[in-house]
Amino acid sequence: MTAPGGHDAGTAKKDAARGDRVPLATVLTANAVSITGNSLTLIGVPWFALDTTGSPGKAGLVAFCAAVPVLVSAIAGGPVIDRIGRRRVSIVSDLVCAVALAAIPLLNRAGLLQFWMLCALMAVTGLFHAPGETARSVLIPDLARRAGTPLSRAASLYDAVSRGARMTGAALAGLLVAFIGADTVLYVDAVTFAASALLVLAGLRGIPSAEPLRGAPPLSAAAYRADLREGYAFLLRTRLLLGINFAVMMTNGLAQSWSSVLLPLHAREDLGGSASLGLLVAVSGGCALVGALAYGAVGHRFPRRPVFAAGFLLTGAPAYLTAAFTDTTAPLLVAMALGGLGAGVLNPILTTVFYETVPEELRSRVGGASTASVLLTAPLGGLAAGFLVERTGLTTALLTIGGVYFLASISPLVFPAWRGMDAPATPPAAPTHRATVSRPEPSTPAPAPAPGGTPPRH
C-alpha cells in the first residue's frame, strides 16, 4: 500500500518516528544551552562579586539572594506551570533570566550598579530559573514515549546532556573570566538563556503535553491551594521519598557553600585564579557526564541502592577534605574527578524512580514540591560559608562542611527506608476526590517499582 506522495506506509511510519524524536532532542538541546548559561553564572557571578566587593561575606550574601527566590518559586510554582503551559513557562523563564543577567554588566559599566541591585537582579534570576527547569524536566516521560526511547535511557540522556553542558560551560567560563572579565561573561550568559528560549519556542510547538491543561478550572485561590496541597501530600506519603529529600536537602546546602564561596575563594587565593577554577569544575562535569552515560548504558543491570550509595559517598566530602589540605590543583583535580563520576549516577537513578512513581497529571506539582524541599537549605549554604570563612578561615570551613557532608551522604547505608529504592512497591495513588484535570494526550503509564525520589541538584 502506498502512502500519499508516493511513499509506502512503512516509510511514512519511519518518517513519523523520526519526527517524534524532534521534541525530545529540542528539550535536551535547550536544557544544554540553558545549563551552559548556569555554569557561566556559577563562576562569573561569584567572581564578579569578589572583584567588586572583595568580601567573601558579601559574595555569600549574593548567593543567598539568588537561592531564596528559587525556593519560593519551587514551593509555589507547580500549579501555575500546568495552567500556563510548560512550553510558555520555559520560554518566559529563560527570557527573564537573560534580561536580568545582561542588566548587571550594563549597570556596572554605566557606573550605576549598587550592591543591593546586584542582589536584586540575582534574586530575579533565582525566582524564574526553577519553574523553567521544572517545566522542561517533567516533559521527558511523554517525549521519550513519542521518540520510542526507554524512560531510563531518556532520563540518563537528560542528565548526561546537562552534565556535558555544565562541563563545557565551566571550562568556557574560567577562560572567559581570565581573558575578558567577569562582567563580559555575564553578557554571554544572557545570550545562552535567550537561545534556549528560542529553541523551545520553535521545537515544542504543537506538543500537547507542553501546552496548558485542558479542562482545568480557573486558578482561584481555593483551586491553587488544593493543587499545591496535592503535590505536597503525594510527596509526604512514602518514607523513602522523605529520606531522599532530606538527604539531598542537606547536601544541596553544603554544595551551594562549595560552588558559591569555598571553591572560588580557594582558587583565587591558592590555585592561581579563574582558569584553575574553570578546569576543576569542567573536569568534575566531564566525569559526571561519563558516569551518567555509563549508567545509561549498563546501570539497569545493577541494584539501585548500592550504586547510589557509592556515588553519594564519592560526590562531596572527598573534595572538601582534599581542598583543606592542599594548595595545588592536581590533588583536588583527582578528588573532583572521582566525585564527578559518583555524581553522574545520582540523578539518572532518582529521576527514573520519580518518573516511575508519580502520575503524569501530578508531576509538575510533585516536582515543584520536591524541588522546594531539596532547596530549603540552599539559600543558607553560601551565606553561612562566607561568614564561616571570615571568622574561622578557609581551612576550618572546608573541614567543618566536609564532615557534615560525609554524615549526610552515608544515609542510604544507615536508614532502612532506602531499601525501598530496589524493592517493588505500589506507589501512593493520586487523589481521586477532585474533578479530573486532563491533558490533551494520554498520561504516561506509571509502573510501580518503588516509592519515588527527587533529583539532587549538584
Side-chain angles (χ1 to χ4, degrees), residues 46 50 56 59-60 63 256-266 382-383 385-386 389:
L50 288 169
Q256 179 74 4
S257 71
W258 172 258
S259 63
S260 64
V261 176
L262 298 177
L263 182 58
L265 188 61
H266 183 49
L383 187 66
V389 169

Side-chain angles (χ1 to χ4, degrees), residues 223-434:
Y224 178 81
R225 286 194 300 269
D227 283 351
L228 205 61
R229 187 164 53 247
E230 280 188 358
Y232 283 92
F234 192 97
L235 186 67
L236 294 172
R237 271 199 283 271
T238 77
R239 293 171 60 199
L240 174 61
L241 193 61
L242 292 176
I244 288 173
N245 277 264
F246 181 76
V248 176
M249 176 187 71
M250 293 298 297
T251 55
N252 275 344
L254 301 172
Q256 179 74 4
S257 71
W258 172 258
S259 63
S260 64
V261 176
L262 298 177
L263 182 58
L265 188 61
H266 183 49
R268 184 184 177 92
E269 292 187 353
D270 302 318
L271 303 180
S274 64
S276 295
L277 174 61
L279 175 64
L280 289 166
V281 178
V283 167
S284 176
C287 290
L289 170 61
V290 172
L293 290 173
Y295 185 82
V298 300
H300 62 280
R301 302 175 184 174
F302 302 96
R304 291 170 178 170
R305 188 170 74 106
V307 175
F308 183 88
F312 213 16
L313 285 168
L314 287 173
T315 297
Y320 289 86
L321 301 179
T322 303
F325 292 110
T326 183
D327 58 0
T328 57
T329 302
L332 186 56
L333 197 65
V334 173
M336 291 186 68
L338 292 174
L341 288 171
V345 306
L346 303 183
N347 282 348
I349 292 174
L350 295 185
T351 302
T352 301
V353 173
F354 178 86
Y355 290 149
E356 289 173 342
T357 303
V358 182
E360 196 277 340
E361 65 271 14
L362 290 181
R363 281 188 190 128
S364 293
R365 279 166 273 173
V366 178
S370 298
T371 300
S373 70
V374 301
L375 291 177
L376 281 172
T377 59
L380 301 176
L383 187 66
F387 287 107
L388 185 62
V389 169
E390 290 191 343
R391 282 160 176 74
T392 67
L394 180 58
T395 300
T396 301
L398 286 165
L399 289 172
T400 301
I401 296 174
V404 177
Y405 203 120
F406 173 76
L407 293 176
S409 63
I410 64 174
S411 57
L413 301 174
V414 173
F415 296 106
W418 287 79
R419 296 170 187 163
M421 185 172 278
D422 288 314
T426 301
T432 58
H433 62 278
R434 299 182 58 214

Side-chain angles (χ1 to χ4, degrees), residues 71-306:
L71 174 61
V72 172
S73 64
I75 290 174
V80 177
I81 291 171
D82 282 342
R83 282 174 168 79
I84 294 176
R86 295 160 179 174
R87 175 172 172 265
R88 294 175 186 174
V89 168
S90 179
I91 292 168
V92 171
S93 169
D94 280 338
L95 289 178
V96 171
C97 289
V99 171
L101 286 166
I104 295 173
L106 284 172
L107 290 171
N108 186 51
R109 293 191 177 188
L112 300 174
L113 186 67
Q114 304 284 329
F115 180 69
W116 69 266
M117 294 180 185
L118 175 60
C119 291
L121 289 168
M122 290 308 299
V124 169
T125 65
L127 184 65
F128 281 85
H129 170 68
E133 182 178 337
T134 299
R136 287 188 294 271
S137 67
V138 296
L139 283 169
I140 292 299
D142 178 65
L143 300 186
R145 178 179 57 80
R146 293 172 66 93
T149 300
L151 180 55
S152 60
R153 182 164 298 171
S156 294
L157 276 173
Y158 186 84
D159 191 61
V161 167
S162 300
R163 301 288 188 181
R166 190 169 292 113
M167 172 190 66
T168 304
L172 182 62
L175 293 174
L176 290 177
V177 167
F179 288 106
I180 63 177
D183 57 345
T184 306
V185 168
L186 297 181
Y187 286 123
V188 181
D189 196 355
V191 170
T192 64
F193 280 106
S196 175
L198 290 174
L199 282 167
V200 172
L201 176 66
L204 294 185
R205 189 184 303 275
I207 301 299
S209 59
E211 298 304 319
L213 284 171
R214 186 175 66 184
L219 189 59
S220 63
Y224 178 81
R225 286 194 300 269
D227 283 351
L228 205 61
R229 187 164 53 247
E230 280 188 358
Y232 283 92
F234 192 97
L235 186 67
L236 294 172
R237 271 199 283 271
T238 77
R239 293 171 60 199
L240 174 61
L241 193 61
L242 292 176
I244 288 173
N245 277 264
F246 181 76
V248 176
M249 176 187 71
M250 293 298 297
T251 55
N252 275 344
L254 301 172
Q256 179 74 4
S257 71
W258 172 258
S259 63
S260 64
V261 176
L262 298 177
L263 182 58
L265 188 61
H266 183 49
R268 184 184 177 92
E269 292 187 353
D270 302 318
L271 303 180
S274 64
S276 295
L277 174 61
L279 175 64
L280 289 166
V281 178
V283 167
S284 176
C287 290
L289 170 61
V290 172
L293 290 173
Y295 185 82
V298 300
H300 62 280
R301 302 175 184 174
F302 302 96
R304 291 170 178 170
R305 188 170 74 106

